[in-house]
Amino acid sequence: MVAAAAAAVATAALLTPTAAQAAVTLPPTHAKFDYQIGGAYTPPAGVQVVTRDRTASPAAGVYNICYVNAFQVQPGEQSQWPSDLLLRDAQGNLVIDEDWGEALLDIRTTDKQNRVAAKVNGWIDGCATKGYKAIEPDNYDSYERSKNLISTSQARAYLKLLATHAHSKNLAIAQKNTVDLASYRTSVGLDFAVAEECGQYEECGDYVDAFGNNVIVIEYTNGGRTKACSGFGSTLSIVQRDVDVRPAGTSGYVRKTC
């Protein structure tokens, strides 16, 4: 009896992540998509899926994905984080993503992973309260910019904390970029992929291998969009946006599809 009970508990533990993931609703595949993390606006006609920043409200009548910067700090928000949760090199200098001017978060220990996740999970709670259906946690690949201070296993362990929490709120969670880690999607608990420039860099097929057609593609060049549409235009959600993802009606706004 004891052995049977222990086996039942073990089986339940194994099934729990699957059950949690089964409770979420994934974005529709091959849907018209709009990427609005640079500012919200009325989605173009026919759009079925929209990503917006966590500070924005969801768009009416569509599937909404909530963007959170989960591995780095938005410019101007460093003071909102404890100093010891900002990644520093051996000289004590902040490790910065120079392209976007964002400090990396320190997720090198289990304690720090839990503390960072506690804050980000609060944002995820806010997304759920607002009515979003999924989470897009950005900068999973920040280990590549960490001066070899953060390992891929640390990144995966931290993201698993976010995935588990998102599922507890009945939210799906995306793998954002980082195709090299796509083979870990099941162990981390990721439901679909959001891939920037997979057409440009000929990576879309690798995402499909891991996620099937549950892949959303954002391109920033005509060439990248052409390649993505040529190979996957009949199966994946594909959009081209300007690199600053400006709102419609502002100078520099670009939105094209297949």
Side-chain angles (χ1 to χ4, degrees):
M1 292 291 289
V2 173
V9 171
T11 300
L14 289 172
L15 291 176
T16 298
T18 303
Q21 286 178 273
V24 308
T25 302
L26 296 181
T29 59
H30 191 222
K32 293 185 177 180
F33 172 72
D34 200 16
Y35 204 45
Q36 299 189 2
I37 66 172
Y41 53 91
T42 301
V47 164
Q48 299 166 271
V49 182
V50 170
T51 293
R52 288 182 171 177
D53 186 77
R54 65 180 177 83
T55 59
S57 297
V62 301
Y63 184 103
N64 285 271
I65 302 169
C66 190
Y67 171 95
V68 296
N69 194 350
F71 287 78
Q72 299 181 178
V73 180
Q74 293 288 98
E77 294 186 1
Q78 288 183 21
S79 63
Q80 298 178 22
W81 288 90
S83 179
D84 70 314
L85 293 183
L86 303 177
L87 185 66
R88 298 178 186 274
D89 61 21
Q91 289 71 46
N93 298 315
L94 289 175
V95 179
I96 302 292
D97 176 349
E98 298 295 346
D99 287 341
W100 298 101
E102 297 178 353
L104 273 63
L105 291 165
D106 190 345
I107 53 170
R108 292 177 293 176
T109 68
T110 299
D111 176 66
K112 289 186 175 183
Q113 290 165 14
N114 285 323
R115 289 171 60 204
V116 173
K119 185 175 181 70
V120 176
N121 284 339
W123 300 341
I124 290 174
D125 291 346
C127 295
T129 299
K130 287 182 176 182
Y132 284 93
K133 296 297 184 183
I135 302 298
E136 179 189 323
D138 201 8
N139 291 307
Y140 187 19
D141 61 352
S142 63
Y143 63 86
E144 296 178 349
R145 300 179 288 279
S146 72
K147 300 183 178 181
N148 295 317
L149 295 172
I150 295 173
S151 69
T152 60
S153 62
Q154 290 162 350
R156 298 197 315 268
Y158 163 64
L159 187 53
K160 185 173 183 177
L161 295 175
L162 303 187
T164 300
H165 188 78
H167 290 151
S168 77
K169 299 296 180 178
N170 295 325
L171 296 171
I173 185 167
Q175 172 167 319
K176 175 69 174 294
N177 299 328
T178 328
V179 71
D180 290 344
L181 300 187
S183 63
Y184 295 98
R185 64 155 295 196
T186 301
S187 60
V188 176
L190 304 172
D191 304 301
F192 65 103
V194 176
E196 291 177 301
E197 299 189 286
C198 69
Q200 181 75 23
Y201 296 105
E202 300 182 353
E203 296 173 338
C204 297
D206 296 325
Y207 285 103
V208 170
D209 287 345
F211 292 90
N213 292 341
N214 293 304
V215 180
I216 294 171
V217 178
I218 303 119
E219 298 291 336
Y220 297 108
T221 65
N222 289 324
R225 173 177 51 84
T226 298
K227 287 197 286 186
C229 290
S230 175
F232 301 92
S234 64
T235 55
L236 304 185
S237 301
I238 301 171
V239 71
Q240 179 184 343
R241 288 298 328 268
D242 55 282
V243 71
D244 292 322
V245 285
R246 299 174 177 90
T250 61
S251 177
Y253 167 83
V254 174
R255 183 181 184 274
K256 301 176 183 179
T257 59
C258 297

